[in-house]
Amino acid sequence: MVAFDKCETRPAHIDAILNGLDRYNPETTTIFQDYVTQQCEERTFDCYANLALLKLYQFNPHLLQPDTVTNVLVKALTVFPSPAFSLCLALLPPHTQPFPTTSEAKAASQTSDFVESVQKLSHLSTLLESAQYTQFWSTLNSDDLYADLTADVAGFEELIRIRIAVEVGKAFRTVKAESLEQWLDIRGREALEKFVTEVCAWKVDGALVQVPANKENEARSEVKSERVGIEQFGRVIRRGFELPV
């Protein structure tokens, strides 16, 4: 497993900041913000660097850039089911949380476009984490705000489809093509066949899609045996012959 603080595509100057005291320097926020933009454009993701930026926002609320924060959250969606989204969400101000607890937080959540954006993205995360893929796509397509929120992230829908396919491949050996079309939001059998064969290396067999065996979806029999000696029950047997007092 790759270490949480590692990223193969991380530039050297970002790595130097993360491994030094400058990661706590408010002046580095602009550098991290530019790096988030780079991740969005190049389809990369550096959770550790993004968390460092959100931590700087936490210490310096006046520097917070709503567009950058939402871009970080959208990028985190593309790597589900990792805990990236939850970790990022935990560093945001309390009034942005999906379920504000104080009256002040509730009042703020009713008046802020930024809070609405965070909570909408949180809803998408919940749908993905609970494997409600069809509902995820219908929700994503139901509001123009979602299109605005994901516009800066290159290949967002494609990245989500790949992640869904990975999770499906862990759970199934055979999937109905009709169900897979809904889970991946792919319209038409030809488009579905192109995706599953070229991207997933799966096979379409009529109305079914065959998923190759892997360590997650392969059925394995498990035989458990226990050796229990009579001496282990000696006390129980003796108590059975004892006369009540």
Side-chain angles (χ1 to χ4, degrees):
M1 180 179 294
V2 179
F4 179 76
D5 60 344
K6 300 297 182 182
C7 178
E8 295 181 357
T9 59
R10 180 185 298 157
H13 70 285
I14 297 294
D15 196 57
I17 292 173
L18 291 173
N19 289 288
L21 294 178
D22 274 344
R23 67 175 298 170
Y24 304 106
N25 184 350
E27 295 181 1
T28 61
T29 55
T30 55
I31 299 176
F32 281 125
Q33 286 166 180
D34 291 341
Y35 185 39
V36 171
T37 300
Q38 179 181 336
Q39 293 174 56
C40 292
E41 295 173 348
E42 299 180 358
R43 303 191 184 191
T44 58
F45 181 72
D46 191 337
C47 187
Y48 196 57
N50 294 346
L51 290 174
L53 173 60
L54 296 181
K55 196 66 178 178
L56 283 171
Y57 286 157
Q58 194 177 55
F59 291 149
N60 308 274
H62 62 286
L63 297 177
L64 187 147
Q65 295 291 326
D67 289 345
T68 299
V69 173
T70 54
N71 282 342
V72 167
L73 293 178
V74 172
K75 287 297 297 181
L77 287 176
T78 65
V79 295
F80 91 96
S82 79
F85 189 92
S86 297
L87 291 172
C88 292
L89 187 66
L91 291 177
L92 300 187
H95 69 272
T96 66
Q97 302 304 310
F99 305 103
T101 57
T102 66
S103 58
E104 293 81 1
K106 291 179 180 178
S109 66
Q110 294 174 357
T111 59
S112 171
D113 292 338
F114 172 56
V115 172
E116 181 184 5
S117 298
V118 171
Q119 296 185 1
K120 281 184 174 293
L121 293 175
S122 297
H123 181 51
L124 291 182
S125 177
T126 298
L127 294 175
L128 289 174
E129 293 292 342
S130 56
Q132 299 182 63
Y133 304 134
T134 303
Q135 183 64 28
F136 166 82
W137 292 112
S138 63
T139 301
L140 182 67
N141 297 324
S142 67
D143 192 333
D144 290 340
L145 178 58
Y146 287 115
D148 293 338
L149 291 172
T150 60
D152 292 339
V153 179
F156 171 75
E157 294 187 1
E158 180 184 353
L159 293 170
I160 292 292
R161 286 191 181 96
I162 292 173
R163 293 307 309 168
I164 291 176
V166 169
E167 294 307 301
V168 170
K170 292 179 181 179
F172 295 93
R173 290 291 303 278
T174 302
V175 189
K176 290 183 179 180
E178 181 181 2
S179 298
L180 201 55
E181 286 180 11
Q182 296 176 0
W183 294 345
L184 299 176
D185 193 39
I186 294 178
R187 299 290 181 261
R189 191 57 52 87
E190 184 178 345
L192 177 68
E193 184 170 353
K194 179 180 176 63
F195 180 85
V196 300
T197 56
E198 296 182 4
V199 179
C200 307
W202 298 348
K203 180 181 178 181
V204 178
D205 183 10
L208 299 176
V209 175
Q210 304 292 340
V211 181
N214 55 62
K215 65 179 182 179
E216 300 290 344
N217 68 10
E218 186 175 13
R220 296 185 298 270
S221 60
E222 185 175 359
V223 179
K224 292 184 178 180
S225 60
E226 295 185 19
R227 296 177 63 88
V228 181
I230 188 65
E231 64 276 2
Q232 294 177 262
F233 292 94
R235 183 177 178 183
V236 176
I237 295 174
R238 287 197 301 272
R239 290 296 297 270
F241 287 96
E242 291 178 359
L243 295 176
V245 179

